[in-house]
Amino acid sequence: MKKNTPLNWSPGIVIRKRTMNETRDLALRILGRNFKALLPYYLTLALPVYAFNLLLWGVLFFVVGPLTTGASYDPVAREIEILAIIYATILYESSFVGSLTTAYLGVWLFAPDERAIKYRSVVRTWRSSWFQLVYYLILTRIIRTRVFYPETILLEKTPFRSRPDRISTKERVRNINLSFQGVFSTGFFSMESYMFAGVLSGGLLFSGLVKGLFPDSVVYLFIINAAIVPALVFGSRLYVAVYRFFSYINYRIESEGWDLDLAFRTELSKRSRVDEEDQTIPARFRRSKTLAPIHLDADAFESEEARR
């Protein structure tokens, strides 16, 4: 990719169609390269959700747990049950927890300089859609198995209810999944299976080692189940959030020719920066609510003078 690419793509990512394996590799590369930048956005939602989970797990493990195990207490079965509950809980919340990361990635992908991205502006973008995010990703999550809700809500700014000029978030996500779900769900299911198997085997291994080295220690087991295993699961969900974001971008390219549309809008944006008042450029392209111009919103970046 040439260094003088329009808009000076700071991530150095070529916007093109990718296979599923290429998308996974790209997500892993982006996560490794930008982990420190992504972490604050992820932790902003992950930490309060984790605090809530501790209360929830305390009730399930110490109040409900003894009632469900009965007289035939099997420590291995109980540990598997605990790990499965931890994983299922975080899995349920993961789309919501990763939504602020999605908002950041949307800005970062088009940032002339990623150091200029303002945390407060990304949070403001997220907060403008908080109701839909909570409704679709928390309140009704259990009955919604479709993917790309965070990306659709945050990047396309779809309304909660249909309007004459825009379809609703629910309809838009349904249309995306009808054309993309088959391929994506197969790969996504296999990835989820590997992650669950890794967390389960890792948790059992840690528990076995602790019980072997410290047979009478409950504190170490508590640390494993309350801190180490959740940290591993939350960490894996950060990768999933990045992977899902680029899968969404790949869908837009494959099904809607978004790369061509983006090239057209990029050229218009270049011209608009040369002369902001140039009336030959339609206003809807300079300040549109669709995916590409969201990332080009000047309010999301600090000026060079402000950073100094």
Side-chain angles (χ1 to χ4, degrees):
M1 186 175 181
K2 296 181 179 179
K3 292 184 178 180
N4 60 347
T5 302
L7 285 187
N8 185 24
W9 303 87
S10 59
I13 298 173
V14 178
I15 303 299
R16 63 171 178 83
K17 178 181 175 181
R18 286 179 167 84
T19 65
M20 187 176 299
N21 288 333
E22 286 178 324
T23 305
R24 288 174 178 171
D25 292 341
L26 176 63
L28 191 61
R29 180 162 56 91
I30 295 302
L31 181 60
R33 188 200 305 174
N34 300 278
F35 181 75
K36 289 184 179 179
L38 290 167
L39 193 59
Y41 296 93
Y42 190 70
L43 291 180
T44 298
L45 294 177
L47 289 179
V49 168
Y50 170 65
F52 169 79
N53 286 347
L54 287 179
L55 296 176
L56 178 63
W57 295 334
V59 173
L60 291 176
F61 300 154
F62 296 106
V63 178
V64 180
L67 299 177
T68 58
T69 52
S72 58
Y73 181 81
D74 184 347
V76 176
R78 180 60 179 155
E79 185 64 23
I80 292 175
E81 178 186 348
I82 290 174
L83 293 174
I85 291 174
I86 291 173
Y87 191 88
T89 306
I90 299 176
L91 178 63
Y92 182 89
E93 303 158 339
S94 61
S95 293
F96 176 78
V97 171
S99 59
L100 186 58
T101 305
T102 300
Y104 168 76
L105 285 170
V107 176
W108 168 84
L109 184 62
F110 289 82
D113 183 354
E114 59 189 73
R115 296 173 300 173
I117 300 175
K118 293 189 289 185
Y119 175 85
R120 285 182 298 176
S121 296
V122 176
V123 173
R124 192 181 306 121
T125 298
W126 183 92
R127 269 192 346 208
S128 67
S129 303
W130 74 267
F131 174 76
Q132 289 200 69
L133 293 168
V134 172
Y135 178 80
Y136 286 115
L137 304 181
I138 296 292
L139 299 181
T140 62
R141 176 75 170 85
I142 196 169
I143 62 173
R144 302 185 188 280
T145 58
R146 296 188 174 113
V147 294
F148 299 139
Y149 270 103
E151 292 75 18
T152 303
I153 294 169
L154 291 167
L155 304 184
E156 298 189 40
K157 296 293 183 183
T158 49
F160 184 68
R161 300 186 185 280
S162 297
R163 300 199 302 250
D165 59 330
R166 300 288 301 277
I167 63 174
S168 67
T169 297
K170 181 180 178 180
E171 293 174 300
R172 173 60 174 157
V173 171
R174 181 185 60 192
N175 293 341
I176 292 176
N177 281 256
L178 286 176
S179 57
F180 196 59
Q181 181 70 22
V183 176
F184 181 78
S185 61
T186 301
F188 200 73
F189 178 77
S190 64
M191 184 171 63
E192 290 286 359
S193 301
Y194 293 142
M195 286 184 176
F196 177 71
V199 169
L200 185 62
S201 59
L204 290 175
L205 178 62
F206 272 116
S207 299
L209 289 174
V210 168
K211 288 179 180 178
L213 296 174
F214 310 98
D216 300 323
S217 178
V218 180
V219 176
Y220 289 111
L221 289 176
F222 176 80
I223 292 175
I224 290 174
N225 291 330
I228 296 178
V229 171
L232 292 175
V233 179
F234 273 116
S236 68
R237 304 319 298 179
L238 174 57
Y239 168 75
V240 171
V242 178
Y243 168 69
R244 190 182 58 233
F245 173 84
F246 284 105
S247 295
Y248 167 82
I249 296 296
N250 201 49
Y251 160 79
R252 295 291 303 268
I253 293 172
E254 182 177 346
S255 300
E256 302 176 0
W258 181 68
D259 51 337
L260 302 178
D261 177 70
L262 177 62
F264 178 65
R265 292 177 184 275
T266 298
E267 186 60 32
L268 290 176
S269 181
K270 279 183 61 182
R271 294 178 57 194
S272 68
R273 291 204 308 275
V274 173
D275 184 2
E276 186 67 24
E277 302 301 324
D278 187 355
Q279 297 303 313
T280 64
I281 302 175
R284 65 179 180 275
F285 290 128
R286 291 200 301 267
R287 201 60 78 177
S288 175
K289 296 297 183 182
T290 53
L291 176 63
I294 265 185
H295 308 300
L296 307 181
D297 190 351
D299 186 50
F301 309 105
E302 283 184 327
S303 65
E304 188 70 26
E305 292 77 10
R307 282 211 316 282
R308 291 173 183 169

